[in-house]
Amino acid sequence: MRMGVAPRSRRRGGRGLRMFIGTMAAAAAVAGCGLESASGTVLAAEPGSIQHYDSLDGVKITVAAKDFTEQLILGNMLSIILSAAGADVTNMTNTPGSFGVRQALVSGDADVVPEYTGTGWINYLGHEDPIRGAEAQWRAVNEEDQANGLTWLPPAPMNNTYAFAIRESAAERLGVTRLSDLATLPRSELTFCVESEFASRNDGFVPMLEAYGLSRDQLGDVTTLDTGVIYTATANGDCNFGEVFTTDGRIPALDLRVLEDDKQFFPLYNLTEVVNSELLAKHPELAEIFGQLNPKLTNDVMLALNARVDNDGEDPALVARSWLVKEGLLS
């Protein structure tokens, strides 16, 4: 799967969807519209705490999601839930790229997508600076995206953002749990692995150091690596601190500890569903349905689900359904 690579691209700042509409349309055409699921199937499940709604019987709803592990799980999760609730669901999980999914949503080819508040604010709406606070960031992106006919539902606790991780043995030896602890360490221990894009972002490496009272010349070795290599390099001790994404399944698999961003430097990428506003107005029960799901989606939950796919080789759709049944949302 593409965990680690695709999240990097979805966080890249831009001038917003309005400035990229022609590029996205061309890209969609090259990719055969980029709107087909790998399988197109929706796994069967019965209602649980999420009930069947007669009002959704026969209502056609298309779910789109991106083409990396976390989104494969989430897209199938939303598809299975909506089908069990009564809708006639088309599953376009595995659509290539953030802007492919966004174009499907804006054009009306998709009705519901799992998305991240920071992605909406920075990538699609073109803002350079994030808004601090999960609720404030959600409210801001939801209010502005209403002009595009889209509604962002109240988000999950899950926040798939940047972080630094350290292998557990080194964390115990150095006594570090927070990014603030870095300022207490000697230069020889301040070794980092980062990706090239992160090293130059305005919400990346150097500004993060400054926020935590450090400068580049106070550090030891800083190694630039591809995103996927950083996890194993950190686990192997090639550096003490590696740049990671907070819900990546390799974190538990490699026994890494994510350091708390105690000054809340990094942008928030809380997960939620973005829904076509016209569909939501006709079927407000959709907010009720996802209001049962979202509070259960935490970083720990997503770490475990991603690990089942990336490390254990399980199928994302089966992982999604088994978790929904285990939680009693479906049966």
Side-chain angles (χ1 to χ4, degrees):
M1 303 303 174
R2 296 188 54 196
M3 217 34 203
V5 177
R8 175 181 61 187
S9 65
R10 75 163 166 77
R11 292 193 178 87
R12 184 174 295 119
R15 296 175 62 191
L17 178 71
R18 293 182 293 266
M19 303 299 292
F20 282 92
I21 194 78
T23 301
M24 289 187 294
V30 170
C33 293
L35 302 180
E36 294 183 356
S37 166
S39 63
T41 59
V42 179
L43 296 187
E46 297 297 322
S49 62
I50 294 176
Q51 296 294 306
H52 178 274
Y53 289 77
D54 291 343
S55 58
L56 287 175
D57 279 342
V59 175
K60 296 183 182 299
I61 298 179
T62 297
V63 174
K66 304 170 197 178
D67 55 349
F68 60 93
T69 298
E70 183 167 287
Q71 286 272 308
L72 299 179
I73 295 169
L74 292 168
N76 279 286
M77 196 178 285
L78 302 190
S79 297
I80 294 166
I81 286 173
L82 289 170
S83 180
D88 179 3
V89 177
T90 298
N91 182 5
M92 295 195 326
T93 295
N94 204 30
T95 297
S98 293
F99 284 103
V101 171
R102 176 69 174 186
Q103 172 63 5
L105 190 60
V106 170
S107 68
D109 288 327
D111 304 299
V112 180
V113 306
E115 194 51 274
Y116 309 89
T117 55
T119 304
W121 187 249
I122 295 171
N123 292 51
Y124 303 147
L125 298 176
H127 297 279
E128 291 292 329
D129 297 318
I131 293 178
R132 302 302 175 191
E135 182 171 351
Q137 179 66 94
W138 160 62
R139 289 189 182 280
V141 72
N142 180 51
E143 180 179 351
E144 187 164 330
D145 224 9
Q146 292 291 329
N148 295 312
L150 303 174
T151 298
W152 293 66
L153 297 180
M158 190 197 116
N159 175 31
N160 186 2
T161 189
Y162 290 108
F164 276 92
I166 182 172
R167 62 196 181 283
E168 277 291 346
S169 59
E172 291 294 332
R173 176 175 62 83
L174 298 174
V176 293
T177 60
R178 309 172 302 165
L179 287 174
S180 289
D181 296 332
L182 298 179
T184 68
L185 300 180
R187 178 172 184 163
S188 60
E189 299 290 359
L190 292 171
T191 58
F192 292 82
C193 294
V194 298
E195 58 175 344
S196 58
E197 180 191 330
F198 181 75
S200 60
R201 290 177 60 99
N202 64 354
D203 59 356
F205 189 47
V206 173
M208 183 278 291
L209 292 173
E210 293 172 353
Y212 283 96
L214 291 167
S215 63
R216 178 64 180 82
D217 58 12
Q218 291 176 269
L219 308 184
D221 292 336
V222 177
T223 305
T224 302
L225 298 170
D226 289 339
T227 305
V229 179
I230 291 174
Y231 292 81
T232 52
T234 305
N236 292 338
D238 298 336
C239 57
N240 280 336
F241 303 99
E243 171 210 343
V244 299
F245 297 116
T246 49
T247 59
D248 196 296
R250 287 167 290 192
I251 291 170
L254 294 172
D255 200 26
L256 301 178
R257 176 189 297 183
V258 174
L259 298 182
E260 179 190 353
D261 180 14
D262 50 310
K263 294 189 177 180
Q264 298 183 341
F265 170 78
F266 291 119
L268 294 164
Y269 290 88
N270 291 97
L271 171 79
T272 192
E273 300 78 23
V274 186
V275 184
N276 178 285
S277 296
E278 184 177 345
L279 175 66
L280 185 61
K282 292 179 180 177
H283 295 282
E285 59 270 30
L286 294 175
E288 181 179 314
I289 289 169
F290 294 128
Q292 296 180 65
L293 169 68
N294 287 358
K296 295 180 177 289
L297 292 173
T298 65
N299 276 25
D300 285 343
V301 165
M302 209 67 231
L303 279 165
L305 296 181
N306 287 336
R308 287 175 59 181
V309 175
D310 284 333
N311 304 315
D312 302 337
E314 296 185 51
D315 180 88
L318 294 173
V319 168
R321 183 173 64 178
S322 69
W323 181 82
L324 291 169
V325 171
K326 181 178 75 71
E327 292 296 315
L329 292 167
L330 301 179
S331 62

